């Protein structure tokens, strides 16, 4: 067998896994590599055990910066928002946008809807009208059989809110979908939804096997799959900022307030009409969204997938934010689906996710949606503001300067001289290297 392959890797201890990786995929210096992994273990063994439990084959922890963007005024309440992100200048940009809007009424955010969707796809080749006639009976059985699964959720005001039968035979012969709507209150709800869908599938099979309304040949039903949909266009939140155009006076060098507002509006308009720009524009929004979603232990892949699908809902991929200027009032809003929770999942298992929710004042899911959407809008405001004024590289590279200095293994004296030297001139990797080299050669 190829020595780079292994069976039973998951059964090895953590130490054995590390040794195996170092031996087969590491550098010559096996001990140094072992240190590379173990140096990131949490010193508290109980916490490390919790983290190890999140995923399989864990051999270390991958550390990302956990930052705070203060001064977020959202619906009249001030928040200091935790953000987990590796990209320089994202937290700084969110903070500066938060501060700008703080004295202009802050962010207004509203949850528009909280419906989540699950789907069961199955194939059946009998008479479609018969299936529609039997559907009320089927629905009753599915709900009855799954009653025990939802008791707690129902107590909290959630549960299954609707089951619809869709015939998709025009797309694929014999194909049907059960589209199930859920209210999952303060949890993201993936487990609740998937458990229900799998129960519905079994009940559906049972119904087809036993119903006296179906002939023996009609009993044949092929369940293909049962899973939640990460597209949640009915789990929507909107965040808005607004101010008189004149409030932009002095926002950048000698640029006038009206020039700034018009250029800003044009930039957002371009992201509405050009998918290439829209993708980057929305990426900037998700810089903020993902960072907060991650800090709260929520599933950022689900949030991204839904957001991008929603951006393409009209048939072409567009900006998630819109900007208008009416009667000299500038208004900038972001609307997007956010299926996130404040209970369940990792939200209270991950020690820092729990801390994040505490810093945010233990919000419910709706409040968290409003906070996350506001940060997304702030991030978008900061990015577009930079793009139409200084460009982003200056600020970005300035924040990146420290990474370059660390990469060049600069000592404290070199770092402080470099910070001073580059405070007024542009930063690039080569200019920093030249500067450090010249300092070193002078010694
Ligand atoms: C960089 O991570 C994000 C931006 O490119 C977003 C944008 O262009 O709007 C600055």
């Amino acid at each position: 067998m190829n020595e780079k392959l292994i069976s039973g890797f998951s059964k090895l201890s953590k130490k054995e896994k590390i040794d195996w990786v170092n031996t087969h995929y590491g550098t010559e210096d096996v001990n140094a590599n072992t240190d590379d992994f173990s140096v990131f273990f949490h010193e508290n063994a109980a916490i490390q055990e919790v983290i190890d439990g999140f995923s399989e084959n864990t051999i270390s922890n991958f550390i990302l910066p956990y930052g705070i963007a203060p001064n977020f005024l959202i619906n009249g309440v001030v928040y200091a928002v935790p953000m987990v992100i590796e990209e320089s200048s994202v937290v700084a940009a969110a903070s500066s946008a938060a501060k700008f809007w703080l004295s202009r009424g802050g962010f207004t955010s509203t949850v528009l809807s909280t419906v989540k969707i699950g789907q069961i796809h199955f194939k059946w080749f009998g008479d479609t009208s018969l299936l529609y006639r039997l559907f009320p009976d089927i629905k009753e059985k599915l709900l009855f059989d799954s009653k025990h699964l939802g008791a707690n959720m129902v107590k909290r005001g959630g549960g299954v809110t609707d089951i619809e039968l869709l015939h998709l035979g025009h797309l694929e012969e014999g194909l049907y979908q059960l589209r199930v709507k859920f209210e999952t209150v303060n949890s993201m709800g993936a487990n609740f939804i998937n458990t229900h869908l799998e129960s519905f599938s079994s009940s559906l099979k049972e119904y087809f096997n036993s119903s006296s309304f179906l002939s023996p040949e009609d009993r044949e039903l092929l369940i293909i799959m049962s899973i939640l949909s990460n597209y949640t266009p009915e789990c929507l939140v909107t965040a808005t900022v607004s101010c008189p155009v004149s409030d932009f006076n002095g926002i950048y060098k000698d640029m006038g307030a009206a020039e700034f507002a018009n250029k800003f509006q044009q930039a957002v308009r371009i992201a509405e009409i050009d998918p290439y720009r829209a993708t980057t524009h929305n990426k900037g929004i998700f810089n903020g969204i993902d960072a907060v979603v991650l800090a709260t232990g929520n599933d950022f892949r689900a949030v991204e997938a839904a957001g991008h699908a929603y951006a393409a809902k009209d048939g072409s991929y567009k900006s998630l934010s819109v900007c208008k200027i009416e009667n000299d009032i500038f208004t900038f809003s972001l609307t997007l689906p956010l299926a996130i929770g404040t209970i369940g999942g990792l939200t209270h298992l991950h020690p820092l996710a729990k801390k994040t929710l505490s810093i945010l004042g233990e919000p419910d899911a709706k409040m968290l949606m409003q906070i996350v959407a506001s940060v997304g809008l702030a991030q978008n405001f900061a990015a577009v503001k930079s793009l139409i004024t200084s460009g982003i590289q200056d600020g970005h590279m300035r924040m990146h300067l420290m990474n370059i200095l660390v990469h060049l293994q600069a000592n404290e004296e070199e770092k402080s001289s470099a910070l001073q030297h580059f405070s007024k001139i542009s930063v690039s990797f080569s200019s920093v290297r030249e500067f450090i080299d010249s300092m070193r050669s002078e010694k």
Side-chain angles (χ1 to χ4, degrees):
M1 185 162 106
N2 181 333
E3 61 155 28
K4 294 213 170 221
L5 300 177
I6 184 170
S7 87
F9 182 75
S10 65
K11 298 197 177 65
L12 300 181
S13 69
K14 191 193 269 189
K15 164 101 180 56
E16 288 166 339
K17 286 188 182 98
I18 292 175
D19 288 347
W20 186 85
V21 171
N22 283 332
T23 307
H24 298 281
Y25 292 90
T27 62
E28 305 279 281
D29 187 353
V30 170
N31 290 332
N33 259 335
T34 307
D35 280 343
D36 279 350
F37 289 119
S38 60
V39 92
F40 296 107
F41 291 173
H42 201 286
E43 60 187 21
N44 178 327
I47 293 183
Q48 186 57 55
E49 200 179 319
V50 171
I51 293 170
D52 286 348
F54 293 160
S55 175
E56 310 76 32
N57 293 347
T58 306
I59 61 168
S60 191
N61 304 316
F62 189 95
I63 296 183
L64 287 173
Y66 181 103
I68 296 284
N71 302 321
F72 262 96
L73 178 63
I74 303 168
N75 294 343
V77 179
V78 175
Y79 295 88
V81 184
M83 300 177 78
V84 172
I85 186 147
E86 86 300 346
E87 187 176 325
S88 318
S89 80
V90 167
V91 177
S95 308
S96 93
K99 198 161 172 199
F100 179 85
W101 288 106
L102 179 67
S103 54
R104 292 165 178 83
F107 296 77
T108 306
S109 184
T110 315
V111 171
L112 304 175
S113 49
T114 55
V115 178
K116 285 160 194 152
I117 301 286
Q119 301 172 300
I120 298 173
H121 284 99
F122 63 92
K123 279 206 162 181
W124 187 67
F125 294 94
D127 172 13
T128 300
S129 61
L130 172 64
L131 188 55
Y132 273 95
R133 276 200 308 282
L134 295 179
F135 188 59
D137 248 14
I138 296 177
K139 193 164 150 177
E140 202 178 304
K141 175 174 171 55
L142 304 192
L143 291 173
F144 181 82
D145 291 353
S146 65
K147 223 174 180 144
H148 63 289
L149 297 173
N152 275 339
M153 187 64 91
V154 171
K155 257 190 239 152
R156 282 189 256 125
V160 179
T161 58
D162 192 23
I163 309 180
E164 207 185 338
L165 171 67
L166 305 176
H167 180 218
L168 305 176
H170 56 294
L171 300 172
E172 170 74 24
E173 209 194 336
L175 185 64
Y176 292 85
Q177 181 189 117
L178 286 189
R179 183 169 294 186
V180 189
K181 291 190 175 175
F182 294 88
E183 169 56 58
T184 60
V185 200
N186 284 325
S187 62
M188 187 268 192
N191 285 332
F192 179 79
I193 295 174
N194 290 334
T195 305
H196 270 80
L197 295 174
E198 291 187 6
S199 155
F200 290 168
S201 290
S202 312
S203 301
L204 192 63
K205 261 199 213 144
E206 228 175 79
Y207 184 93
F208 273 73
N209 278 335
S210 60
S211 168
S212 54
F213 298 110
L214 294 166
S215 62
E217 58 276 17
D218 278 345
R219 294 197 187 287
E220 244 174 69
L221 164 91
L222 175 65
I223 304 245
I224 298 170
M225 58 189 167
S226 315
I227 185 78
L228 93 171
S229 169
N230 284 121
Y231 186 40
T232 51
E234 291 176 88
C235 185
L236 276 189
V237 57
T238 184
T240 303
V241 285
S242 185
C243 69
V245 168
S246 57
D247 270 18
F248 294 126
N249 267 325
I251 193 160
Y252 183 70
K253 295 189 178 165
D254 55 3
M255 189 181 264
E259 187 191 351
F260 175 86
N262 289 330
K263 235 178 141 181
F264 195 104
Q265 191 189 23
Q266 283 300 305
V268 179
R269 175 80 189 123
I270 291 165
E272 277 172 47
I273 55 185
D274 173 31
Y276 284 86
R277 174 57 205 151
T279 307
T280 320
H281 181 94
N282 289 344
K283 189 272 183 186
I285 293 172
F286 281 103
N287 276 344
I289 302 253
D290 286 0
V292 188
V293 169
L294 201 49
T296 59
N298 272 284
D299 181 346
F300 61 93
R301 286 88 55 212
V303 166
E304 284 258 357
H308 295 299
Y310 188 74
K313 71 179 186 325
D314 299 328
S316 74
Y317 186 89
K318 286 185 181 161
S319 161
L320 287 165
S321 60
V322 290
C323 175
K324 65 176 188 205
I325 302 170
E326 267 171 19
N327 304 324
D328 283 332
I329 300 291
F330 171 95
T331 306
F332 184 42
S333 332
L334 167 67
T335 303
L336 86 166
L338 278 178
I340 51 178
T342 52
I343 59 170
L346 290 197
T347 54
H348 285 82
L349 276 182
H350 193 296
L352 275 180
K354 194 169 164 200
K355 186 86 185 152
T356 299
L357 292 170
S358 152
I359 292 172
L360 293 176
E362 303 296 349
D364 61 9
K366 283 186 177 171
M367 193 59 231
L368 186 61
M369 287 166 78
Q370 292 167 352
I371 295 169
V372 171
S374 300
V375 176
L377 183 67
Q379 207 70 57
N380 193 205
F381 178 80
V384 175
K385 172 182 169 243
S386 293
L387 291 172
I388 61 163
T389 56
S390 58
I392 65 149
Q393 267 325 76
D394 189 45
H396 188 77
M397 289 309 287
R398 213 161 285 292
M399 296 300 297
H400 196 50
L401 174 58
M402 204 36 111
N403 294 342
I404 300 174
L405 291 169
V406 170
H407 181 85
L408 296 173
Q409 298 182 332
N411 61 30
E412 288 312 310
E413 188 198 342
E414 290 167 342
K415 278 182 190 160
S416 96
S417 304
L419 289 176
Q420 202 180 2
H421 177 80
F422 285 101
S423 65
K424 290 192 187 68
I425 60 168
S426 302
V427 176
S428 71
F429 189 87
S430 54
S431 64
V432 178
R433 186 164 47 200
E434 266 167 36
F435 178 79
I436 296 293
D437 282 350
S438 80
M439 265 188 92
R440 287 174 183 170
S441 64
E442 272 168 25
K443 287 210 162 157

Short mmCIF file of all heavy atoms in Angstrom, two decimals, residues 149-174:
data_model
loop_
_atom_site.label_atom_id
_atom_site.label_comp_id
_atom_site.label_asym_id
_atom_site.label_seq_id
_atom_site.Cartn_x
_atom_site.Cartn_y
_atom_site.Cartn_z
N LEU A 149 -41.56 15.07 18.47
CA LEU A 149 -40.25 15.69 18.18
C LEU A 149 -40.24 17.19 18.46
O LEU A 149 -39.19 17.78 18.67
CB LEU A 149 -39.88 15.50 16.69
CG LEU A 149 -39.71 14.06 16.22
CD1 LEU A 149 -39.54 14.04 14.71
CD2 LEU A 149 -38.49 13.44 16.90
N GLY A 150 -41.43 17.80 18.43
CA GLY A 150 -41.44 19.27 18.45
C GLY A 150 -41.96 19.91 19.72
O GLY A 150 -42.12 21.13 19.76
N ALA A 151 -42.20 19.10 20.75
CA ALA A 151 -42.88 19.63 21.94
C ALA A 151 -42.19 20.87 22.51
O ALA A 151 -42.85 21.89 22.75
CB ALA A 151 -43.00 18.54 22.99
N ASN A 152 -40.88 20.79 22.67
CA ASN A 152 -40.16 21.93 23.26
C ASN A 152 -40.21 23.17 22.38
O ASN A 152 -40.40 24.29 22.85
CB ASN A 152 -38.68 21.58 23.48
CG ASN A 152 -38.51 20.87 24.79
OD1 ASN A 152 -39.36 21.00 25.66
ND2 ASN A 152 -37.43 20.12 24.93
N MET A 153 -40.04 22.92 21.09
CA MET A 153 -40.06 24.03 20.14
C MET A 153 -41.45 24.70 20.13
O MET A 153 -41.56 25.93 20.07
CB MET A 153 -39.70 23.51 18.75
CG MET A 153 -39.52 24.56 17.70
SD MET A 153 -38.13 25.66 18.04
CE MET A 153 -36.80 24.83 17.21
N VAL A 154 -42.49 23.88 20.19
CA VAL A 154 -43.86 24.43 20.20
C VAL A 154 -44.05 25.30 21.44
O VAL A 154 -44.60 26.40 21.36
CB VAL A 154 -44.91 23.28 20.12
CG1 VAL A 154 -46.32 23.82 20.35
CG2 VAL A 154 -44.82 22.58 18.77
N LYS A 155 -43.49 24.83 22.58
CA LYS A 155 -43.59 25.61 23.82
C LYS A 155 -42.94 26.98 23.65
O LYS A 155 -43.37 27.97 24.21
CB LYS A 155 -42.86 24.87 24.95
CG LYS A 155 -43.81 24.17 25.90
CD LYS A 155 -43.06 23.66 27.12
CE LYS A 155 -43.23 22.15 27.22
NZ LYS A 155 -42.15 21.46 27.88
N ARG A 156 -41.85 27.00 22.85
CA ARG A 156 -41.14 28.28 22.65
C ARG A 156 -41.76 29.11 21.53
O ARG A 156 -41.24 30.16 21.15
CB ARG A 156 -39.66 28.00 22.32
CG ARG A 156 -38.88 27.65 23.58
CD ARG A 156 -37.40 27.58 23.29
NE ARG A 156 -36.96 26.20 23.23
CZ ARG A 156 -36.32 25.63 22.22
NH1 ARG A 156 -36.01 26.32 21.17
NH2 ARG A 156 -35.97 24.38 22.26
N GLY A 157 -42.83 28.60 20.93
CA GLY A 157 -43.53 29.39 19.91
C GLY A 157 -43.17 28.99 18.48
O GLY A 157 -43.51 29.68 17.52
N GLY A 158 -42.47 27.85 18.34
CA GLY A 158 -42.07 27.44 16.99
C GLY A 158 -42.71 26.14 16.57
O GLY A 158 -43.66 25.69 17.18
N GLY A 159 -42.16 25.54 15.52
CA GLY A 159 -42.65 24.25 15.04
C GLY A 159 -42.82 24.24 13.53
O GLY A 159 -42.32 25.12 12.83
N VAL A 160 -43.56 23.22 13.08
CA VAL A 160 -43.84 23.11 11.64
C VAL A 160 -45.02 24.02 11.35
O VAL A 160 -46.04 23.93 12.03
CB VAL A 160 -44.22 21.65 11.30
CG1 VAL A 160 -44.54 21.51 9.81
CG2 VAL A 160 -43.11 20.70 11.71
N THR A 161 -44.90 24.89 10.37
CA THR A 161 -46.02 25.81 10.12
C THR A 161 -46.80 25.48 8.84
O THR A 161 -47.93 25.92 8.68
CB THR A 161 -45.55 27.28 10.06
OG1 THR A 161 -44.56 27.39 9.04
CG2 THR A 161 -44.95 27.72 11.39
N ASP A 162 -46.19 24.69 7.96
CA ASP A 162 -46.93 24.34 6.75
C ASP A 162 -46.22 23.20 6.00
O ASP A 162 -44.99 23.09 6.07
CB ASP A 162 -47.02 25.57 5.82
CG ASP A 162 -48.02 25.38 4.69
OD1 ASP A 162 -48.92 24.53 4.84
OD2 ASP A 162 -47.87 26.05 3.66
N ILE A 163 -47.01 22.38 5.33
CA ILE A 163 -46.42 21.37 4.42
C ILE A 163 -47.16 21.50 3.09
O ILE A 163 -48.40 21.46 3.06
CB ILE A 163 -46.58 19.93 4.94
CG1 ILE A 163 -46.10 19.80 6.40
CG2 ILE A 163 -45.79 18.96 4.05
CD1 ILE A 163 -46.24 18.40 6.96
N GLU A 164 -46.39 21.62 2.03
CA GLU A 164 -46.99 21.83 0.71
C GLU A 164 -46.50 20.72 -0.21
O GLU A 164 -45.32 20.32 -0.11
CB GLU A 164 -46.44 23.17 0.21
CG GLU A 164 -47.29 23.93 -0.76
CD GLU A 164 -46.51 25.18 -1.24
OE1 GLU A 164 -45.57 25.62 -0.53
OE2 GLU A 164 -46.84 25.66 -2.31
N LEU A 165 -47.37 20.27 -1.10
CA LEU A 165 -46.95 19.26 -2.08
C LEU A 165 -46.73 19.94 -3.42
O LEU A 165 -47.62 20.63 -3.92
CB LEU A 165 -48.04 18.18 -2.20
CG LEU A 165 -47.85 17.17 -3.33
CD1 LEU A 165 -46.64 16.27 -3.07
CD2 LEU A 165 -49.12 16.30 -3.48
N LEU A 166 -45.55 19.76 -3.99
CA LEU A 166 -45.27 20.36 -5.30
C LEU A 166 -45.01 19.27 -6.32
O LEU A 166 -44.17 18.38 -6.07
CB LEU A 166 -44.04 21.27 -5.23
CG LEU A 166 -44.04 22.39 -4.19
CD1 LEU A 166 -42.71 23.13 -4.21
CD2 LEU A 166 -45.18 23.37 -4.48
N HIS A 167 -45.70 19.33 -7.46
CA HIS A 167 -45.44 18.36 -8.52
C HIS A 167 -44.41 18.96 -9.47
O HIS A 167 -44.63 20.03 -10.03
CB HIS A 167 -46.76 18.06 -9.27
CG HIS A 167 -46.58 17.08 -10.37
ND1 HIS A 167 -47.24 17.18 -11.57
CD2 HIS A 167 -45.78 15.99 -10.46
CE1 HIS A 167 -46.86 16.18 -12.36
NE2 HIS A 167 -46.00 15.44 -11.69
N LEU A 168 -43.27 18.29 -9.61
CA LEU A 168 -42.19 18.84 -10.45
C LEU A 168 -41.99 17.98 -11.71
O LEU A 168 -40.90 17.95 -12.30
CB LEU A 168 -40.88 18.91 -9.64
CG LEU A 168 -40.96 19.68 -8.32
CD1 LEU A 168 -39.65 19.60 -7.55
CD2 LEU A 168 -41.33 21.13 -8.57
N GLY A 169 -43.07 17.27 -12.10
CA GLY A 169 -43.00 16.36 -13.23
C GLY A 169 -42.60 17.05 -14.53
O GLY A 169 -42.07 16.40 -15.44
N HIS A 170 -42.85 18.35 -14.65
CA HIS A 170 -42.48 19.07 -15.87
C HIS A 170 -40.96 19.25 -15.95
O HIS A 170 -40.41 19.55 -17.01
CB HIS A 170 -43.19 20.43 -15.94
CG HIS A 170 -42.93 21.29 -14.75
ND1 HIS A 170 -43.36 20.96 -13.49
CD2 HIS A 170 -42.26 22.46 -14.63
CE1 HIS A 170 -42.98 21.88 -12.62
NE2 HIS A 170 -42.31 22.81 -13.30
N LEU A 171 -40.27 19.08 -14.82
CA LEU A 171 -38.80 19.24 -14.80
C LEU A 171 -38.10 17.89 -14.83
O LEU A 171 -37.03 17.73 -15.41
CB LEU A 171 -38.37 20.00 -13.53
CG LEU A 171 -38.94 21.41 -13.36
CD1 LEU A 171 -38.60 21.96 -11.99
CD2 LEU A 171 -38.39 22.33 -14.45
N GLU A 172 -38.73 16.91 -14.18
CA GLU A 172 -38.13 15.57 -14.08
C GLU A 172 -39.29 14.60 -13.86
O GLU A 172 -40.06 14.76 -12.92
CB GLU A 172 -37.15 15.58 -12.88
CG GLU A 172 -36.62 14.27 -12.45
CD GLU A 172 -35.58 13.69 -13.40
OE1 GLU A 172 -34.93 14.46 -14.14
OE2 GLU A 172 -35.45 12.45 -13.41
N GLU A 173 -39.40 13.60 -14.75
CA GLU A 173 -40.56 12.73 -14.71
C GLU A 173 -40.78 12.10 -13.32
O GLU A 173 -39.83 11.56 -12.73
CB GLU A 173 -40.38 11.63 -15.76
CG GLU A 173 -41.72 11.14 -16.28
CD GLU A 173 -41.59 9.83 -17.04
OE1 GLU A 173 -40.48 9.56 -17.53
OE2 GLU A 173 -42.59 9.10 -17.10
N GLY A 174 -42.00 12.21 -12.84
CA GLY A 174 -42.37 11.55 -11.58
C GLY A 174 -41.87 12.25 -10.32
O GLY A 174 -42.04 11.74 -9.21
#
